[in-house]
Amino acid sequence: MSERILIIEDEENIARVLQLELEFEGYVTGVAYTGTDGLIQYREQEWDLILLDLMLPGLNGLDVLRRIRATEAETPVILLTAKNEVADKVAGLDLGANDYVTKPFEIEELLARIRANLRFVRKPVEQADPHFHQFAGLSIHEQTREVKRDEVMIELTPREFDLLLHLLKHPNQVLTREQLLDAVWGYDYFGDTNVVDVYIRYVRKKIDNGDPQSLIQTVRGVGYVLKEPNHET
Ligand code: CA
């Protein structure tokens, strides 16, 4: 599928050359000649990357960038800057631009930057499995419901699984009994919060392998935290 690049550039001849070159490379492009139109096109369509000129009439490039980054940080933005715009270039990078090229630029250089930035974004999405969670030798797959500690399979009941999954999604974060109750048993559960303690004991027995220091540590008077045991103390 073709990647989509939005060009926001007020110099029409530069915008036109960019559009031709990018389309020749197989990208789908959109062109906006003002910052305002750029933002409108950005919001109305899906883009994989944005080429953003800094000196634009009306809403300038930094204004546009600020508004984009106020809503999301994923779409790579490459700034098109002039030699005398060093301060703006730095401000742009501080605002979350991913890269820049200085005009006049070689098209080959820009194409290389575009490829690098598109690759950079795509990679983690392809590699990371959002359903897989691991911590300190413990791993859970949300969909296959496989639980392992140091590569050894562990059998959990559905409730135990949900409890451990919630802890694994919030490692090193102290969770109160009420939070665990809401997340695992649901807001409509009106039983005793002691049920959390009971199930924590069940899960510990299964995952800790006889280690007296559990991965699920008790925070007295508060709740529980999934934390690497400190064997030195
Ligand atoms: Ca300009």
Side-chain angles (χ1 to χ4, degrees), residues 1-6 46-50 74-76 117-118 121:
M1 210 190 67
S2 296
E3 278 148 329
R4 301 172 51 84
I5 299 178
L6 176 60
E46 294 266 334
W47 302 101
D48 297 300
L49 186 140
I50 296 166
E74 289 79 40
T75 313
N117 279 281
L118 286 172
V121 184

Side-chain angles (χ1 to χ4, degrees), residues 121-202:
V121 184
R122 230 177 311 122
K123 223 173 177 180
V125 179
E126 280 174 359
Q127 287 183 342
D129 182 344
H131 302 293
F132 184 75
H133 308 275
Q134 60 178 345
F135 183 82
L138 186 70
S139 70
I140 283 194
H141 199 285
E142 233 174 310
Q143 288 189 318
T144 63
R145 299 183 78 87
E146 268 182 10
V147 182
K148 289 181 188 170
R149 178 82 194 264
D150 300 326
E151 294 308 308
V152 179
M153 286 278 245
I154 296 169
E155 294 285 337
L156 296 180
T157 65
R159 192 71 88 190
E160 293 166 353
F161 179 91
D162 292 344
L163 179 59
L164 185 59
L165 177 64
H166 192 74
L167 286 161
L168 254 174
K169 283 180 170 178
H170 305 88
N172 298 311
Q173 185 185 331
V174 178
L175 299 167
T176 65
R177 285 180 181 79
E178 283 71 25
Q179 284 172 327
L180 289 167
L181 209 56
D182 289 345
V184 179
W185 280 264
Y187 290 96
D188 51 355
Y189 179 86
F190 289 112
D192 201 321
T193 57
N194 281 343
V195 72
V196 176
D197 305 315
V198 172
Y199 273 83
I200 289 279
R201 263 203 308 280
Y202 293 159

Side-chain angles (χ1 to χ4, degrees), residues 8-11 14 33 53-57 80 85 103:
I8 307 176
E9 164 67 80
D10 64 317
E11 282 157 88
I14 294 182
Y33 298 114
D53 181 29
L54 279 183
M55 290 286 282
L56 293 166
L80 307 176
E85 291 172 348
K103 293 187 217 179

